[in-house]
Amino acid sequence: MKKLILALSLNLSSFFIFSTAQTVTKVDTINGTPLTITASPKVSELINKMDSNNCKRSTNDSSFSYTDDLDSRRISVPKRKLSTAEICRQNPRVLGYKIQVAVVKSNKEANEIKASFRQKFPHTKTIVDASLRPNYKILAGSYFTKESASGDLKSIKAHFKSAVAVQYYIFCEEGK
């Protein structure tokens, strides 16, 4: 008996729930296909409210342009080439090049080579990268392109034969 009452009450409640549902048809903005949803009137109101908040009809044509929170995070691509200062303002660290002077097995060796390099090239910034332990990389300079590193690379190769230009994230302000 309890099961029968439960089944009847479920049927009646589902009837009332689905009887208040309405069909909402929207047109897809990308390829224009209709999208049909059966939902309660409250959901329909929310969809219409979202459409009115996010969708503005252009005065020139009948196309839609959506504006939402994602638009503020989108990267705009200008039609002209950006200057170095504009690139640096947007991205303080960029993928560039450094000259890898040497790769050694100990920190002591790395610091000795760094000191030797600094004596020969005092105006070139040098760092020791220990991210690939037990190997230590001695990296010098910051360059935007491999071509801009080639001038310094020639003079460094005269003293350090294993020097090579490698891709590395550089601080944009330091780049040449």
Side-chain angles (χ1 to χ4, degrees), residues 25 85 116 162 171:
T25 304
S116 169
S162 63
F171 286 104

Side-chain angles (χ1 to χ4, degrees), residues 19 68 107 132:
S19 67
D68 58 6
N107 191 24
L132 295 173

Side-chain angles (χ1 to χ4, degrees), residues 7-21:
L8 284 173
S9 65
L10 283 175
N11 283 337
L12 286 175
S13 64
S14 64
F15 173 75
F16 287 115
I17 290 172
F18 290 117
S19 67
T20 60

Side-chain angles (χ1 to χ4, degrees), residues 16-24 38-48:
F16 287 115
I17 290 172
F18 290 117
S19 67
T20 60
Q22 74 185 68
T23 302
V24 179
T38 304
S40 72
K42 289 184 179 182
V43 173
S44 177
E45 285 177 35
L46 288 173
I47 291 172
N48 289 332

Side-chain angles (χ1 to χ4, degrees), residues 51-118:
D51 272 349
S52 66
N53 287 342
N54 291 339
C55 185
K56 298 176 184 172
R57 194 172 279 279
S58 175
T59 56
N60 297 342
D61 57 31
S62 61
S63 66
F64 289 100
S65 64
Y66 282 91
T67 58
D68 58 6
D69 293 337
L70 293 176
D71 281 344
S72 62
R73 291 181 276 165
R74 288 198 179 124
I75 298 171
S76 62
V77 181
K79 294 182 181 183
R80 63 177 174 76
K81 187 174 179 179
L82 293 175
S83 69
T84 304
E86 290 171 324
I87 293 170
C88 290
R89 204 172 315 125
Q90 292 175 356
N91 304 315
R93 291 192 70 175
V94 294
L95 190 60
Y97 288 86
K98 284 190 174 282
I99 296 174
Q100 180 176 292
V101 178
V103 178
V104 293
K105 295 282 183 187
S106 72
N107 191 24
K108 182 180 177 189
E109 241 183 311
N111 286 329
E112 288 171 2
I113 292 173
K114 180 180 174 182
S116 169
F117 183 87
R118 294 284 294 154

